[in-house]
Amino acid sequence: MFGIVGIPVTEIAIAAQAAGIKYVGMRNEQAACYAASAVGYLTGRPGVCLVVSGPGFLHALGGMANATINCWPLIVIGGSSDRNQETMGAFQEFPQVEAGRLYNKLSVRPSSLEVIPAVIEKAVRTSIYGRPGSCYIDIPGDFVNLQVNKNSVKYVECCLPPPISMAEHSAVSKAASILALSKQPLLIIGKGAAYSHAENNIRKLVDLCGLPFLPTPMAKGVVPDNHPNCVAAARSMALQHADVIILFGARLNWILHFGLPPRFRQDVKVIQIDICAEELGNNVKPAAILLGDINAVTKQLLEEFSKRSFKYPSNSEWWKRLRVKIKNNEERSKGLALQKSLPMNYYTVFHHIREMIPKDSILVSEGANTMDIGRTMLPNYYPRQRLDAGTFGTMGVGLGFAIAAAMVAKDRAPGKQVVCIEGDSAFGFSGMEVETICRYNLPILIIIVNNNGIYTGLDANSWKEMLKLGNPATCVPPVSLLPNSRYEEIMSAFGGKGYFVKTPEELRNALKASVADKQTPSLINVMIDPQSERKKQEFPWLTRSNL
Ligand code: ADP
Ligand code: MG
């Protein structure tokens, strides 16, 4: 349970701890809510976010929306004003249940104390059954200290894990036939596959059938990024020329360019696997529909392909073209990474991070360029070890996610390193959670890739010149942040270790010291060229042409 206490929920947090629930007090409800939602994604059971009435609830809406849009389970418990003061202008009064409906699969207030266990069971079940999402439970202040006769409470057993559904047999065989005829197939792995723990079976399928695969950002690691069939380095080309695509738990939304030209072939055949029937057919009419749990459906496909002894030839023209593209793209990034000029560029920074952090680190990442370039430069070898701005493109999630990942790792994988790589702008949204990290002594490594701004910034001299022009509010570019800000001092203020680095050597030394110290949180503030950019893309970001 993550949250911030106050009237009327302080007693709930105390009672939760007494019941053996870990309670992590955060500094802003938004970050608390992001943290709770990441627990849901990582474990398959919802974490809880506990908030006070009115503003506390409202601050958590961002987290509820982010969870529901990411299809992650979450329970939010909000205190609300006393029932007998409703509509009277009570302290922090707000129509929370109504407001919660837009953001949640379920938004309810228990009608009495007696039914709370049944309502909680329903919320947990709703959050994880079908397409996962957020659920909100409203607890009026006067409930908190009411007495109840134990015998009248409607206790219910907690819900079982979600039932496993499988695709229709005919659809499985249709999908296999379509794939068998494909000349340029592509398997796309989405974060639904990561969530459903389908890694072993998807990997078997890739190996058995020899198909090229492409992970979406948070699906990186479901099959390791260094698997020979990974075509992430030829992403645009793979998407643009594939004639058959099999989608494992990924929506054809903006992340996949809606499945439409010019990023896809007009005649691309899509085989869609999803647990949510309403999703099937969005933007593109599927050639085959596999409604069911990804892991179970992958098993069905494995059986079908084994029966047919299907193997896509590794010497096909398609594989040859993909391999050439991969090689070219990798060499371009390598060239940028090895540039010696100072200040460093993004590629150089990620090159050194990649060399110095443990291979099984949990990577949290946000920021525009920092996240986009980091995704291509930092490999994932294990599933569910990348958390980022996600489907909603939310900035400010990083520290909450890192705290959640560190709490989960503490229980399930002690000693695992959490590395949270932030743009300087992204860090600002939840920077005070550094205090939370230090309070719970979570040995998270935060790396800020600092370009003095949003997308790009100004160097210190240009900044000074700019200020001479007059009122900064009228002459400073809106993308600029204060140059050379010493963000690492926020970490040292709370007892962690802070490093300010400008050169590859300083960066490597700081990384080495941070990774070696398993007790202390640290923050490395890496100054880069404020004008450093992504390498040129074939398509402009979020292209609208021909849509
Ligand atoms: P990405 O961001 O990686 O493209 P999305 O969040 O768009 O992924 O898609 C994830 C999809 O996975 C959602 O459509 C969701 O309904 C689906 N999903 C979640 N859990 C399961 C599951 N157990 N089995 C099948 N599909 C699932
Ligand atoms: Mg920046």
Side-chain angles (χ1 to χ4, degrees), residues 335-481:
L336 287 164
L338 296 177
Q339 275 179 8
K340 293 269 182 293
S341 52
L342 289 178
M344 289 181 277
N345 68 43
Y346 282 106
Y347 294 85
T348 311
V349 171
F350 288 121
H351 167 74
H352 294 293
I353 295 175
R354 173 182 182 155
E355 288 201 332
M356 303 292 293
I357 61 171
K359 269 180 96 171
D360 67 345
S361 299
I362 298 178
L363 299 178
V364 179
S365 185
E366 61 174 336
N369 288 327
T370 300
M371 183 172 74
D372 290 340
I373 302 170
R375 183 175 60 240
T376 65
M377 293 289 291
L378 299 171
N380 286 84
Y381 303 99
Y382 302 93
R384 297 171 295 283
Q385 297 209 163
R386 179 184 165 86
L387 296 161
D388 68 22
T391 309
F392 210 18
T394 311
M395 295 300 142
V397 291
L399 272 68
F401 284 179
I403 290 169
M407 293 297 297
V408 171
K410 221 176 184 171
D411 285 345
R412 301 182 178 212
K416 195 180 269 292
Q417 178 76 60
V418 177
V419 182
C420 178
I421 305 168
E422 303 269 307
D424 52 332
S425 159
F427 175 75
F429 288 86
S430 302
M432 196 49 74
E433 299 302 338
V434 169
E435 189 275 333
T436 311
I437 291 172
C438 290
R439 183 159 25 99
Y440 291 96
N441 200 23
L442 301 170
I444 294 167
L445 164 56
I446 300 172
I447 300 170
I448 297 181
V449 185
N450 189 348
N451 68 347
N452 300 339
I454 306 168
Y455 305 117
T456 55
L458 293 175
D459 60 66
N461 286 336
S462 318
W463 173 264
K464 266 191 218 136
E465 290 305 311
M466 205 65 82
L467 292 187
K468 282 187 199 151
L469 297 174
N471 183 344
T474 58
C475 55
V476 164
V479 292
S480 291
L481 297 169

Side-chain angles (χ1 to χ4, degrees), residues 21 28 263 465 471:
I21 296 171
N28 183 296
R263 306 299 300 263
E465 290 305 311
N471 183 344

Side-chain angles (χ1 to χ4, degrees), residues 131 190-192 195-196 216 249-251 274-276 292-294 391:
R131 170 180 275 173
K191 66 179 174 300
Y195 177 77
S196 72
T216 63
R251 286 166 283 182
D274 208 290
I275 205 163
C276 173
D293 172 69
I294 296 172
T391 309

